[in-house]
Amino acid sequence: MSGKLRVFLGAAPGVGKTYAMLREGRRLRGEGVDVVVGLVETYGRRGTAEQLGDLPVLPRRAVPYRGTEQSELDVDALLARRPHLALVDELAHTDVPGGRHGKRWQDVRELLDAGIDVATTLNIQHLESLNDVVEEITGVAQRETIPDEVVRAADRIELVDLSPEALRTRMARGEVYPPDRIDVALDHYFRAGNLGALRELALLWLADRVEEELADYRARHGIRAPWETKERIVVGLNGAPQGEHLIRRGARTASRVHGDLIGVHVRLDDGTALHEPPGLAAQRALLQELRGTFVEVSGGDVARTLVEFARTESATQILLGPTGRSRLRELLHGSVINRVIRLAGPIDVRVLPPREPGLLTVPPEPRRRRPALVPLRRRRLAWLLGPAGVVALAWALSPLRHQLGLSGVLLCLLLAVAGTARLGGLLPAAGATAAGALAADYFFTTPWHSLTVERGADLAALLLFLAVAAVIAHLIDGLTRRSQQAGRARAEAAVLARLAGETVESGPRVLPDLVAELRQVFGLDGAAVLVRTGALWQPAAAAGAEAPLRPDEASFTVDLGDGAVLVLRGTPLTEEDTRLLGPYATQLKLVRERERLAARAAAAEELARTDALHTALLDALGRELRAPVAAVRREAGRLPGPAGQRIGAEAARMERVVADLVDLSRLRAGAMPVVLRPTAVAEVVRAAAEGVPGVRVDLAPGLPRVLADPGLLTRAFADVLAGAGSAGAAEVLMDAGVVADRVEVRVTVRGDATGPGEGAGPVVARGFVEAMHGELAVEPAAGGGTAYVIALARAPE
């Protein structure tokens, strides 16, 4: 009977895999299980070593290699000992050449074949299938890899998870690597982005394994009904324009429920579909952009093939668009949607209605004192049907000339002219009017079938017809103009309402979406937001195939401030368009300002994280340095003569510098409170100067109190004086005075061997003073030397 393999999987070194394995071994040993440590690498980590506890550790096997002696797992000793559970660290390790196996996982497989359970550890970067992905993420090639099937065959895999920030904090504290390797590791392999990507990689790999196990279980038990363990949305695609809307709707749903999106195109296998639908390539690209999967399957029945595929993938939803078939074709061949609903069983089927036009294109403003704008197609149709229709109507009525008379015919022709005016506007109506007058003269006035008018009454009737027809056409043109103006006003109101509503609900949108909407609203060929970088213009967002790349290529520009400009190309904008463009320009400015603020916030957050890491690093270094410096002081005390005193003094100075640096880092991180209260300057100065040789204090009586933290202020003065002493100053003078609403304490150092502001003392002192909202200035002193001026606010009386 084979043993069972248990793998503790981690996304990166240092997450605690070995710690978790040893803790589990101790727990099982406490329950009476025979547990033996075959091989564990602690890497000098105290917490990991402590977890060994009372676990029995099997001695390692010594292996000679190139003149040295290496230690490896003693497989023979484990087989002879035959524990119930063996703890073997680093499953992907490569054994020293000359042993029985080349890889440690092969050693573990021999133990499993012998019936011994094994618990082991592994990092995700050592999996063979992920090796290239990890190298692309981290830039580090992993030489030690292990086949995925070895790990997938494990009876139990536990993910030891730790957030990137928590792991980086552990690194900075020296809990993973020694101090000399921390900075390099944090700046390269252990960057926050790398760790986040590795963590996601581990979670996805583990999720795939769980999915495989679930699929095997369902296959073994003949379960075909989908289990809603994870949302999987199948989108039926046939290349129709509605498909992109379906994909985006499915992607939004999948992202909300953390599910999978699969686009499926069913190709009929009857030979009728020889070419790919024209819109399918764009839909495939959109699926990839939205992290979905595209699949093409063949079948004789679209509905049945789609449902079978959904069942195979354990889909929970099928998303379909509106049918493109006519009513007659649905009656003859049936409805695909209805068949999918009948066959789907427990799978939810969602049918989206035809998409309403999401964004309105604002119609152009009607031209003043000119005929109303009518679509070209309608104008052509009116020119074709209007004059010809009027002539045809007159010819058709000519047999009734005695019954209708000229007046009756002219009324009928007026109706045709009005219809022409409504269809194609003023100019086609004028053409129909002229044709109608000529046709009435030809068919209904004497002499018949000629263009001469014999009777004065008939001529008057024809002239009256021309006048009435012109008035009617003009009135209809005016009504059309009013209708167009009302339509434009409604479109403007809808655009402004949409713009204001979305801003109130969700804040300013991303720049590309806003530029694309602007282009569609005004019916432009292209639109872009350009930002000047030096002498070049860079597009921050663009929409349309003919988006301008320079302001001089645009037909209209709007200055957005801060070196940005909105450029438009297409139909020239009218005054009304410019008025509507104003809110969009305001929104674009808000979006750019929001992006700048977001970038600053991200930079500030990154700076805060870096500051926290530096603080943790300084804490760790402080702990590491205190012990050796204290040891140096103890040994210096045993040395006789001036040498021991000098070494002790330097060690004491080092201890003070370390303490100051640690406290300064804690101060900047907000971990050390600063309590400002009225403080007597004279008392603090004398306390700091006490016991320091060569310091003369000359303070005027009656100095006002300052707002300061007495402890921090004392340390600031002490650091300045210590820096002066270490630099070999011959004389130090401390005096003070009042300047406006501040009190300035001047520390003048004569014979200063260092340059102004050099050394750690003034740097640390400046940090303490700035924490109290004061200033420390370093300047040359009159008569030679350096003056350190500490200015603090006066305390209220």
Side-chain angles (χ1 to χ4, degrees):
M1 182 178 178
S2 298
K4 295 181 179 180
L5 178 62
R6 183 174 180 179
V7 178
F8 290 85
L9 181 67
V15 297
K17 305 178 301 299
T18 306
Y19 186 99
M21 180 183 70
L22 292 175
R23 184 176 57 188
E24 181 65 10
R26 292 179 61 189
R27 185 188 69 81
L28 293 174
R29 180 175 172 80
E31 295 177 359
V33 179
D34 183 14
V35 180
V36 171
V37 176
L39 187 144
V40 163
E41 301 287 355
T42 63
Y43 297 108
R45 299 167 188 167
R46 185 173 56 187
T48 304
E50 290 175 351
Q51 285 300 315
L52 279 169
D54 57 350
L55 289 173
V57 180
L58 200 68
R60 302 189 185 189
R61 178 172 59 91
V63 180
Y65 179 67
R66 294 184 179 179
T68 62
E69 192 173 85
Q70 306 290 331
S71 61
E72 288 290 355
L73 175 66
D74 195 339
V75 179
D76 291 330
L78 272 175
L79 293 174
R81 172 71 168 72
R82 294 194 65 81
H84 182 79
L85 175 64
L87 306 183
V88 181
D89 209 1
E90 303 289 354
L91 183 62
H93 172 75
T94 300
D95 292 344
V96 176
R100 61 200 299 163
H101 299 118
K103 295 285 188 177
R104 185 165 292 166
W105 63 266
Q106 295 171 327
D107 298 335
V108 168
R109 177 176 288 177
E110 185 174 349
L111 295 176
L112 294 172
D113 292 340
I116 301 174
D117 293 348
V118 177
T120 186
T121 63
L122 180 71
N123 285 326
I124 195 69
Q125 66 262 29
H126 295 297
L127 289 169
E128 182 67 45
S129 66
L130 302 178
N131 185 257
D132 56 340
V133 181
V134 173
E135 182 178 358
E136 183 178 349
I137 293 172
T138 64
V140 179
Q142 298 293 333
R143 294 187 179 90
E144 294 183 325
T145 59
I146 181 173
D148 287 45
E149 59 268 17
V150 174
V151 186
R152 291 186 184 277
D155 298 274
R156 184 172 177 181
I157 300 177
E158 295 186 17
L159 181 65
V160 183
D161 192 23
L162 194 65
S163 69
E165 289 305 321
L167 179 54
R168 284 171 59 85
T169 302
R170 289 192 63 196
M171 291 282 300
R173 291 175 179 169
E175 298 177 9
V176 179
Y177 288 160
D180 59 334
R181 296 177 58 190
I182 293 176
D183 284 341
V184 176
L186 288 175
D187 291 339
H188 293 83
Y189 192 94
F190 287 84
R191 291 198 297 265
N194 291 357
L195 295 177
L198 292 174
R199 186 187 189 197
E200 183 176 0
L201 205 61
L203 291 170
L204 290 174
W205 187 89
L206 196 60
D208 288 342
R209 180 182 182 273
V210 173
E211 185 176 340
E212 290 175 2
E213 292 180 351
L214 181 61
D216 292 342
Y217 176 85
R218 295 177 65 224
R220 288 196 306 270
H221 291 79
I223 302 172
R224 301 191 63 194
W227 285 358
E228 296 185 12
T229 55
K230 184 178 183 180
E231 289 287 338
R232 287 182 178 84
I233 301 172
V234 170
V235 179
L237 302 174
N238 58 4
Q242 187 77 4
E244 295 187 3
H245 176 54
L246 289 175
I247 293 171
R248 289 190 174 91
R249 177 69 69 87
R252 289 196 296 270
T253 304
S255 64
R256 283 196 296 267
V257 298
H258 304 287
D260 296 333
L261 176 66
I262 306 173
V264 181
H265 172 63
V266 178
R267 183 184 293 273
L268 294 175
D269 56 10
D270 57 2
T272 57
L274 299 179
H275 303 287
E276 182 179 273
L280 202 59
Q283 293 168 11
R284 184 188 299 113
L286 180 61
L287 265 171
Q288 293 175 353
E289 181 181 342
L290 297 176
R291 297 185 179 182
T293 305
F294 178 82
V295 179
E296 186 173 296
V297 294
S298 297
D301 186 334
V302 174
R304 185 174 297 278
T305 304
L306 182 62
V307 172
E308 288 297 327
F309 174 83
R311 286 176 178 163
T312 303
E313 294 294 324
S314 298
T316 55
Q317 295 184 37
I318 298 177
L319 198 60
L320 301 175
T323 181
R325 293 184 173 185
S326 63
R327 293 297 183 108
L328 178 60
R329 192 175 177 187
E330 282 194 0
L331 290 174
L332 296 177
H333 301 284
S335 169
V336 174
I337 294 176
N338 292 338
R339 283 180 50 76
V340 169
I341 293 174
R342 285 197 300 269
L343 297 172
I347 305 175
D348 294 342
V349 179
R350 296 172 59 196
V351 182
L352 299 187
R355 190 183 180 194
E356 296 290 336
L359 297 175
L360 296 174
T361 299
V362 177
E365 180 73 12
R367 299 168 295 183
R368 297 176 181 177
R369 299 180 181 178
R370 296 183 66 183
L373 289 174
V374 179
L376 180 61
R377 182 180 176 184
R378 286 176 51 186
R379 289 204 306 272
R380 289 176 176 175
L381 187 62
W383 275 112
L384 178 65
L385 298 180
V390 170
V391 173
L393 179 61
W395 173 78
L397 294 176
S398 60
L400 304 176
R401 63 171 65 95
H402 296 293
Q403 291 83 356
L404 294 175
L406 180 60
S407 58
V409 170
L410 291 178
L411 286 176
C412 295
L413 296 181
L414 277 176
L415 183 61
V417 170
T420 304
R422 182 68 184 87
L423 176 63
L426 190 60
L427 294 180
T433 300
L438 293 175
D441 180 16
Y442 186 82
F443 289 109
F444 293 95
T445 63
T446 56
W448 312 115
H449 303 115
S450 70
L451 295 180
T452 58
V453 180
E454 186 178 70
R455 297 174 55 198
D458 292 343
L459 179 61
L462 290 175
L463 293 176
L464 184 62
F465 166 77
L466 289 172
V468 173
V471 171
I472 290 175
H474 182 72
L475 290 175
I476 293 176
D477 181 74
L479 291 175
T480 303
R481 187 191 305 276
R482 300 292 187 278
S483 175
Q484 291 174 351
Q485 290 174 341
R488 179 182 172 88
R490 286 194 301 270
E492 288 183 2
V495 168
L496 292 174
R498 181 197 302 274
L499 198 62
E502 290 181 351
T503 302
V504 171
E505 180 180 353
S506 58
R509 290 163 292 167
V510 295
L511 201 61
D513 290 348
L514 200 57
V515 173
E517 179 177 320
L518 185 149
R519 186 192 72 84
Q520 183 172 347
V521 165
F522 290 98
L524 300 169
D525 298 330
V529 172
L530 304 180
V531 180
R532 180 184 287 278
T533 55
L536 301 177
W537 290 95
Q538 298 292 335
E546 300 182 18
L549 299 180
R550 294 193 309 272
D552 55 7
E553 297 178 357
S555 56
F556 195 88
T557 61
V558 179
D559 185 15
L560 299 179
D562 295 329
V565 61
L566 171 65
V567 291
L568 309 175
R569 174 185 285 172
T571 306
L573 300 183
T574 63
E575 182 180 348
E576 290 75 12
D577 292 335
T578 307
R579 185 180 65 250
L580 182 59
L581 188 62
Y584 275 100
T586 303
Q587 279 295 303
L588 290 171
K589 293 178 182 178
L590 289 175
V591 170
R592 283 182 46 78
E593 182 63 24
R594 183 189 183 196
E595 290 178 350
R596 282 196 294 269
L597 293 176
R600 291 177 185 173
E605 185 178 353
E606 183 64 26
L607 184 61
R609 285 198 296 265
T610 304
D611 201 23
L613 287 173
H614 287 170
T615 301
L617 180 58
L618 282 174
D619 284 340
L621 289 176
R623 289 195 299 268
E624 295 291 334
L625 289 174
R626 283 192 180 100
V629 172
V632 170
R633 287 192 63 186
R634 287 194 302 269
E635 296 300 324
R638 299 174 185 175
L639 294 175
Q645 295 177 359
R646 187 167 60 253
I647 294 174
E650 292 297 326
R653 188 169 71 87
M654 179 63 71
E655 281 185 330
R656 185 175 63 253
V657 169
V658 170
D660 285 345
L661 288 175
V662 171
D663 286 345
L664 182 59
S665 66
R666 296 177 61 233
L667 195 65
R668 290 181 173 176
M672 184 175 177
V674 178
V675 181
L676 300 180
R677 62 174 182 266
T679 303
V681 177
E683 297 177 3
V684 175
V685 169
R686 292 189 177 93
E690 186 177 357
V692 181
V695 177
R696 183 166 58 91
V697 178
D698 184 11
L699 301 178
L703 280 176
R705 294 188 297 176
V706 297
L707 278 178
D709 185 311
L712 284 183
L713 188 58
T714 303
R715 294 182 65 178
F717 287 132
D719 285 330
V720 172
L721 294 175
S726 64
E731 180 186 358
V732 178
L733 173 63
M734 299 184 70
D735 58 356
V738 179
V739 179
D741 59 343
R742 301 172 76 84
V743 176
E744 292 186 352
V745 179
R746 180 180 295 269
V747 182
T748 305
V749 181
R750 306 292 184 186
D752 193 354
T754 64
E758 294 182 2
V763 175
V764 175
R766 177 177 284 108
F768 289 155
V769 172
E770 290 176 352
M772 296 180 289
H773 309 298
E775 296 178 356
L776 190 154
V778 183
E779 57 191 36
T786 304
Y788 300 89
V789 183
I790 297 176
L792 296 166
R794 295 179 57 174
E797 299 295 338

